[in-house]
Amino acid sequence: MSKIGFIGLGIMGRPMAGHLLDAGHEINTVEFGSSLPADLKEKGANVCANPKEVAAKSDVVITMVPDTPDVELVLFGEEGVIHGLKKDTLVIDMSSIAPIPTQEFSKRIQEAGGEYVDAPVSGGEGGAINAALTIMVGGTEKGFERAKPILEVMGKSITHIGENGSGQTCKVANQIVVALTIEAVSEGLLFASKAGADVAKVRESLLGGLAQSKILDVHGGRMIDRTFDPGFKIKLHQKDLNLALEGARTLNLSLPGTANAQQLFQACAANGGADWDHSGIVRALEKLADHEIGQ
């Protein structure tokens, strides 16, 4: 069993760390943005003073924090991981951050004697709770093989995409597809509801045809039931689409659907919805239509 440092015990990180504890791994953590959850404390997680101490006590360090600056702070800040890093320590960043800084982070960790893998995830809170995450991995073959047994404790679909940064590139592509699919489900159900159809039966029918998707199943249900507690917060999906649009400018690409979805997320945030589940994008469309699904 490994001594694993786990930094970032939020909606996703908490159950992920729990699975590692259940599998017999030792967990060293630090209170980054929140106190140690009671269930992890009861399972034996150790609280360290800072990321430096986490690294000094661990053979593997996992980060699961909100954004690129957070990863940089945890890894390279005044009391960051790099200052306690031992030779051959494996650093696995499971956050969703920008691909180009990821490549720089990897270089710095490798120069300090460690191994770096970027391994962002998809599947939301449910996937984290059920250890059923999809994990997209960037790194060397050696790094991937070292990380894989640990990642298998938390996920079901684990793919080595390529070199460092490619896992994050895959995650940005994932977030584009997810955002546009949520928007499509929102528009379809809103149309059906406004036209007077039983929207629950419409969703049931669509789930049996070509329009079937996990998003129609899970998020379509949220829209009908009006349950917008996250899940995955709109403000975090906004961050991911910013990465997509910034990357598109660098690559001289036009992503009009992505830009439109970002504007709808922004409309939600402007109306107090930054912390809604991202299925709440439907509420921006409902406001434009002056109609709520199910009315």
Side-chain angles (χ1 to χ4, degrees):
M1 294 293 105
S2 299
K3 296 180 179 180
I4 299 175
F6 200 111
I7 302 172
L9 301 174
I11 289 174
M12 301 286 288
R14 175 180 174 178
M16 292 163 68
H19 294 312
L20 292 169
L21 282 165
D22 291 340
H25 296 290
E26 177 183 313
I27 293 294
N28 301 306
T29 190
V30 63
E31 295 181 347
F32 183 84
S34 60
S35 58
L36 178 66
D39 59 328
L40 298 186
K41 186 175 182 179
E42 290 171 2
K43 291 180 179 181
N46 306 309
V47 179
C48 300
N50 49 53
K52 175 182 176 181
E53 184 182 346
V54 170
K57 292 183 175 180
S58 305
D59 304 312
V60 178
V61 176
I62 296 174
T63 52
M64 186 61 174
V65 296
D67 205 348
T68 308
D70 300 307
V71 176
E72 185 170 21
L73 175 64
V74 166
L75 294 182
F76 308 112
E78 186 176 343
E79 295 180 317
V81 165
I82 199 166
H83 301 296
L85 196 72
K86 303 191 297 290
K87 182 175 173 56
D88 293 327
T89 296
L90 175 63
V91 177
I92 307 174
D93 177 37
M94 304 189 75
S95 319
S96 295
I97 66 170
I100 292 176
T102 291
Q103 294 170 356
E104 178 60 27
F105 297 166
S106 168
K107 182 179 179 182
R108 292 173 69 178
I109 290 295
Q110 290 170 357
E111 288 174 347
E115 182 80 40
Y116 188 97
V117 166
D118 49 292
V121 305
S122 180
E125 183 182 13
I129 290 171
N130 296 313
L133 293 168
T134 293
I135 306 177
M136 313 154 207
V137 185
T140 65
E141 189 66 37
K142 175 186 174 184
F144 174 68
E145 291 302 324
R146 286 185 64 192
K148 189 176 180 182
I150 295 168
L151 299 178
E152 286 175 336
V153 176
M154 300 176 280
K156 284 189 175 179
S157 175
I158 301 161
T159 304
H160 186 197
I161 306 298
E163 62 187 14
N164 284 116
S166 60
Q168 296 296 353
T169 296
C170 185
K171 178 57 188 289
V172 172
N174 178 85
Q175 295 304 79
I176 292 171
V177 173
V178 169
L180 271 62
T181 307
I182 294 175
E183 181 185 353
V185 169
S186 300
E187 292 190 14
L189 295 184
L190 182 60
F191 171 81
S193 179
K194 183 74 171 181
D198 184 326
V199 72
K201 290 183 178 179
V202 168
R203 171 177 164 273
E204 180 182 352
S205 179
L206 294 179
L207 284 170
L210 190 59
Q212 189 276 336
S213 71
K214 186 172 183 179
I215 287 172
L216 175 61
D217 183 14
V218 175
H219 293 312
R222 284 178 179 268
M223 294 170 195
I224 294 169
D225 296 336
R226 318 308 293 171
T227 53
F228 298 113
D229 293 336
F232 187 77
K233 294 180 181 180
I234 279 175
K235 66 183 180 184
L236 294 178
H237 211 143
Q238 284 184 284
K239 177 262 296 182
D240 292 339
L241 293 193
N242 279 337
L243 296 177
L245 294 169
E246 289 166 6
R249 283 190 290 272
T250 301
L251 296 169
N252 199 27
L253 285 176
S254 175
L255 300 177
T258 303
N260 187 58
Q262 183 72 308
Q263 287 300 306
L264 291 170
F265 280 139
Q266 181 57 37
C268 292
N271 284 275
D275 289 327
W276 296 342
D277 183 80
H278 53 173
S279 59
I281 198 173
V282 71
R283 300 175 94 168
L285 293 165
E286 289 172 337
K287 193 172 183 69
L288 291 171
D290 193 26
H291 176 83
E292 184 178 294
I293 284 177
Q295 284 183 339

